[in-house]
Amino acid sequence: MTTDPARSAAPPSGGSEFWRKEDWWAIWIGLSIVIVGTLLFWNGGSLRWLAVVPPKWKSLSEVAGDFGMNGWRYIALFLFWLTAFSVAISVMGLRLRQFVPAFTLLYVAACAIFVLGQWESAARYNLEPPLIALLLGLVIANLGGVPAVLATGFRGEFFVKTGIVLLGATVPFSLIALAGPVAILQASIVSIVTFSVIYWAAVRFGLDRRFAATLGVGGAVCGVSAAIAIAGAVGAKKEHVAVTITTVILWAIAMIFALPLAARLLGLPTGIAGAWIGTSEFADAAGIAAAQAYGGLAGKVDGIAGTADQALQAFTLIKVIGRDVWIGIWAVALAIVATTRWEAQPGGSAADVREIWRRFPKFVLGFFIASALVTVTTAHYSLADYNKVATPGLIAPIKDLRSWAFIFCFLSIGLSTRFRALAAAGRMPFAVFTLGVAVNVVLGYLLSVHVFGVHWATLGQ
Amino acid sequence: MRLFGALRPLVPASGGGCAGCAHFCNSAEGLEAAVSGLSTLSSAYASVRGGDGLCGLHATITNGQGGCTGFTLPSAG
């Protein structure tokens, strides 16, 4: 069998990566919003008109009234997102014919989810928008409600990266500098232990070493993204990658519901729960869903201290800065082990330290730059003026646009998860991965609550 | 010393590397179609993938920098 040569291309290098990888597009879109918002703010304006969100409501007539009054703003916001994402999708080589109807469907569903989340009684009935969006997407996708061809338009990973860049604008740079080292320490401890447990158990039970490594990083670093990166670095079998991806997806989706539920039963403050989710979830999109769902309970459910932002910030610090950014180092280290310790195989190559940068999740740079930009812009404000001037004029509109990006992501996770299309998980790989999950969750809890609990509970205060 | 040896570029066995082989596909679209679930919680368009692609001959994911005796030039047509 030969692969269609027309589908082969040289690896992105130099400038081409700037327009062929979604990480860079997340930066271009996210930073453009932050820069335009900052320029408007300097000139006495704001992104508020564009960043429309449904109001808090008690009766449906209030919702109807809002859509009647602000209908053009919702249409403008749709056209803004559609244009921004379509340019990126088109340049990256995806099909616009599939993306446009998929995104239109996504936007309509996102409006409904956003409205539901603004219902005054939503928390009382456990209607956390991220979880509802995920469930709705899963039901629609798996009952055949959406043509499979549209699935390529549900780019959850692209949306969450754009949202994380926008999240950077709401996180003071000083907070990243102060909390980052603790996040890296906690994440590193859990990542190394989780990888070791999964790898050791997998090899012990007779799985191929390359498969074991792919499963190990899938549980320890960044889920599906880590699995594909390490598979390429060590030359894992395609079928082993597919099994790893299925296992990660099943556990990641289960954890979206389980971790917020466990945190709620334990009455954890939002910062601590965010850190735990950041340590024990497997994918950025899944973790953001869990962290936002839990953060949304702050102030609405008795016994949950902290703010919604603390959950998202703690999650992002641990997951993105503590785990994701190290994937290139994992790749190079395991490539060295594969070429020096394991049996040679066709297509194998020597480790290349340049892979550290090639595989670096570039959208993280956008998170840092957005944070630095807004921090510098608002540095001269006193706390009172910051809350009175900068928050409504600059921060809040960016935060609302971020909320839209995340809702697109949550819906996309569900809409693109077709259980029948996934590879069979396999009993043994699932068992060893589950062992890693158990260790990860317990260790993540101990570190988040008992070792660094004070740090995470008071994050940003 | 072994570590530094591992960092040296390998010379493909057949004189042609995976990246130029007819069996190798590293288009993001092709990879997402070939690996079920890849686009659900990740993406083949992500930076972390680097230049990885699928070797159709050995059914492995590889970074395209190696080579083997199965190297085949893409057909001109």
Side-chain angles (χ1 to χ4, degrees):
Chain A
M1 169 190 143
T2 55
T3 307
D4 179 5
R7 292 190 154 202
S8 294
S13 59
S16 71
E17 188 176 335
F18 294 137
W19 45 267
R20 286 177 60 183
K21 295 287 189 179
E22 68 187 10
D23 289 55
W24 286 108
W25 278 107
I27 292 177
W28 306 144
I29 294 172
L31 282 189
S32 296
I33 290 171
V34 174
I35 289 168
V36 170
T38 304
L39 290 174
L40 286 171
F41 179 68
W42 278 343
N43 291 287
S46 163
L47 280 170
R48 173 46 63 206
W49 188 86
L50 181 67
V52 61
V53 291
K56 298 275 182 196
W57 59 276
K58 289 179 185 170
S59 72
L60 281 173
S61 60
E62 294 172 70
V63 178
D66 175 63
F67 276 102
M69 194 165 62
N70 294 311
W72 286 111
R73 292 173 67 192
Y74 286 98
I75 292 171
L77 182 63
F78 167 68
L79 292 174
F80 164 74
W81 283 124
L82 181 69
T83 305
F85 289 134
S86 291
V87 169
I89 289 289
S90 177
V91 175
M92 283 193 289
L94 282 151
R95 291 184 177 86
L96 267 186
R97 265 183 312 175
Q98 294 174 0
F99 179 76
V100 172
F103 186 76
T104 304
L105 176 78
L106 208 59
Y107 187 78
V108 171
C111 286
I113 294 293
F114 220 140
V115 167
L116 186 66
Q118 296 288 64
W119 183 28
E120 199 185 53
S121 303
R124 196 192 316 157
Y125 295 103
N126 296 322
L127 297 174
E128 290 98 7
L131 307 187
I132 299 301
L134 178 67
L135 275 177
L136 179 69
L138 282 173
V139 169
I140 293 173
N142 289 283
L143 293 182
V146 178
V149 72
L150 292 186
T152 55
F154 304 133
R155 311 297 312 178
E157 189 75 356
F158 185 23
F159 301 140
V160 80
K161 286 172 180 170
T162 305
I164 289 174
V165 173
L166 293 174
L167 177 66
T170 65
V171 180
F173 202 77
S174 56
L175 180 66
I176 298 174
L178 287 171
V182 174
I184 291 170
L185 176 63
Q186 175 169 334
S188 299
I189 292 169
V190 177
S191 292
I192 291 168
V193 171
T194 304
F195 175 83
S196 302
V197 168
I198 296 176
Y199 181 82
W200 174 83
V203 172
R204 176 102 180 157
F205 287 106
L207 298 185
D208 170 74
R209 289 182 186 278
R210 289 176 168 82
F211 188 11
T214 306
L215 269 174
V217 292
V221 187
C222 52
V224 175
S225 296
I228 196 73
I230 296 308
V234 303
K237 289 276 184 192
K238 175 193 150 195
E239 65 186 84
H240 292 163
V241 178
V243 169
T244 302
I245 287 173
T246 299
T247 308
V248 168
I249 289 173
L250 292 177
W251 265 115
I253 289 178
M255 285 300 190
I256 292 175
F257 297 95
L259 287 172
L261 179 65
R264 186 172 178 169
L265 291 174
L266 293 164
L268 298 182
T270 53
I272 290 180
W276 189 20
I277 293 166
T279 310
S280 299
E281 247 300 359
F282 307 105
D284 291 351
I288 289 276
Q292 182 144 322
Y294 193 73
L297 300 177
K300 296 175 186 168
V301 173
D302 290 341
I304 296 180
T307 64
D309 275 354
Q310 282 181 313
L312 274 181
Q313 290 170 353
F315 166 81
T316 306
L317 287 167
I318 292 258
K319 179 69 176 66
V320 177
I321 296 172
R323 292 166 68 188
D324 293 359
V325 299
W326 307 103
I327 185 59
I329 290 174
W330 280 93
V332 170
L334 286 168
I336 290 172
V337 173
T339 49
T340 57
R341 301 277 176 189
W342 301 344
E343 70 284 6
Q345 68 170 29
S349 64
D352 182 351
V353 288
R354 289 172 297 186
E355 290 284 293
I356 294 172
W357 170 245
R358 264 187 221 125
R359 294 185 189 280
F360 185 84
K362 314 293 189 306
F363 73 96
V364 179
L365 301 176
F367 174 84
F368 286 131
I369 294 169
S371 171
L373 188 61
V374 172
T375 301
V376 168
T377 301
T378 58
H380 62 286
Y381 286 110
S382 65
L383 181 61
D385 283 345
Y386 180 89
N387 290 331
K388 189 177 165 189
V389 180
T391 297
L394 177 61
I395 308 296
I398 292 175
K399 195 184 281 189
D400 289 337
L401 291 173
R402 178 194 83 193
S403 296
W404 283 104
F406 283 158
I407 292 180
F408 299 150
C409 161
F410 306 147
L411 280 162
S412 295
I413 298 172
L415 287 166
S416 61
T417 304
R418 286 177 161 73
F419 292 114
R420 274 173 297 185
L422 296 175
R427 194 177 301 171
M428 191 55 71
F430 192 81
V432 298
F433 192 89
T434 301
L435 183 64
V437 171
V439 171
N440 180 310
V441 168
V442 172
L443 190 55
Y445 171 81
L446 291 174
L447 291 173
S448 302
V449 177
H450 296 293
V451 179
F452 300 116
V454 174
H455 173 81
W456 295 120
T458 57
L459 187 67
Q461 291 176 354
Chain B
M1 291 306 289
R2 220 172 162 188
L3 174 77
F4 294 109
L7 289 169
R8 283 199 307 268
L10 291 183
V11 179
S14 64
C18 291
C21 177
H23 297 293
F24 183 68
C25 167
N26 77 341
S27 85
E29 187 184 5
L31 203 56
E32 287 192 355
V35 182
S36 305
L38 176 54
S39 60
T40 297
L41 286 175
S42 183
S43 165
Y45 296 84
S47 291
V48 295
R49 180 173 70 90
D52 294 346
L54 178 66
C55 168
L57 184 64
H58 299 104
T60 54
I61 306 293
T62 172
N63 61 15
Q65 294 168 22
C68 76
T69 53
F71 176 80
T72 305
L73 277 172
S75 58

